[in-house]
Amino acid sequence: MSGAPARDAAAMQRAALIADALAGLSAARKTLPCKWLYDAEGARLFEAITRLPEYYPTRTETGILTGQAEAIAAAVGPGAAVVEFGPGDGAKAALLLAGLRAPAAYVPVDIAPEWLEAAASRVAAARPGLPVLPVVADFTQGFALPQRLGAAPRLGFFPGSTIGNFEPAEATGFLRRLRATLGTGSRLLLGADLVKEVAVLEAAYDDAAGVTAAFNLNLLHRLNREAGAEFDPAGFRHRAVWNAALERIEMHLVSCHAQRVRLAGREIRFAEGETIHTESSHKYRPERLRALAAAAGWQVAATWMDPDRLFSVWLLDG
Ligand code: AVI
């Protein structure tokens, strides 16, 4: 995108950010949708999080995809068209596609065209000759797959445990829409993080180097940059806490003192210790994940876990 369409898209994004911020920060319990964590700086910080010693999900899932490549390829079968939702840098797709038998195509789907380029070129390098057909779309909504896929069996790919960032009811709706997009008879390879010791979970979301804190606080910098807000990020601190009742890690920004912040012509008041809830990362027990999938019309075909049962990869039949 360039010129006027790019400016229009940026203006629409800014309007949506302001609307979400005003709605979320006017609520009795202040909240901001976690999708706004990912501007360019947020994406860079998230990339750094995935390499932290405390953040086990990425390396554990990668270990499963590598160690179980044969079993996954056998269960998926030959000729699959792999449709990845939110491919990031395409590293996991490259790993998956390297092991699959005669895949038909790779379709990375993302709302941001710049992400698609990175994924497309990494996969093209890992699997030369494989048709790579990027689609710019908001994959949380329905969208059309490229006609060129023909009758190739579809394998949706949603690694990384991003399913955990949805509220469970939203996750069901999302998985149902994926099934409608991919078509009946399709399959889905899904990564899901598992419930485990609280200390391990809290450390993964509050690392010693402070990268996750910077990732969370970047949301306030983003509101200042893009929405003309007047946050003093030094007046807030990062908190990651396990919510045992809802089996999720919550990220909050805690106001260090009573303060007032201007945002889009409004004044937002914070009491000392009041928080903005910025992200939930739900952790699943296998039986809950199975029930979630079933409620969305998917049946479990196979499950793979690491020996320490930190993380799980699921093959679902639609
Ligand atoms: C993208 N998502 C799966 C990450 C997670 O673990 O919930 C986002 C994240 N937030 C803090 N650290 C990582």
Side-chain angles (χ1 to χ4, degrees), residues 37-38 46 49 55 57 160-162 165 204-205 212 215 251 279-281 283:
L37 289 164
Y38 300 91
F46 176 63
I49 287 173
Y55 193 76
S161 185
T162 303
N165 297 132
Y205 291 82
T212 312
F215 172 66
M251 291 206 314
E279 185 191 65
S280 295
S281 196
K283 307 302 168 188

Side-chain angles (χ1 to χ4, degrees), residues 75-213:
V76 168
V82 175
V83 181
E84 184 174 22
F85 307 100
D89 64 4
K92 289 176 194 165
L95 204 62
L96 173 71
L97 282 154
L100 288 187
R101 292 171 199 155
Y106 173 56
V107 183
V109 186
D110 206 295
I111 199 161
E114 59 275 20
W115 299 129
L116 294 174
E117 275 168 38
S121 50
R122 190 182 275 242
V123 165
R127 195 89 205 207
L130 178 76
V132 176
L133 312 169
V135 173
V136 179
D138 176 358
F139 62 78
T140 62
Q141 308 304 319
F143 65 93
L145 291 173
Q147 293 210 330
R148 258 187 75 186
L149 295 185
R154 274 86 161 130
L155 175 71
F157 186 39
F158 195 49
S161 185
T162 303
I163 193 70
N165 297 132
F166 292 88
E167 292 300 319
E170 289 171 4
T172 311
F174 170 67
L175 289 180
R176 198 176 289 131
R177 277 193 297 283
L178 287 196
R179 187 163 164 269
T181 300
L182 293 165
T184 11
S186 59
R187 305 177 110 192
L188 177 65
L189 196 62
L190 175 72
D193 197 8
L194 299 171
V195 173
K196 59 185 63 64
E197 228 181 289
V198 174
V200 174
L201 285 165
E202 289 188 344
Y205 291 82
D206 193 7
D207 56 285
V211 182
T212 312

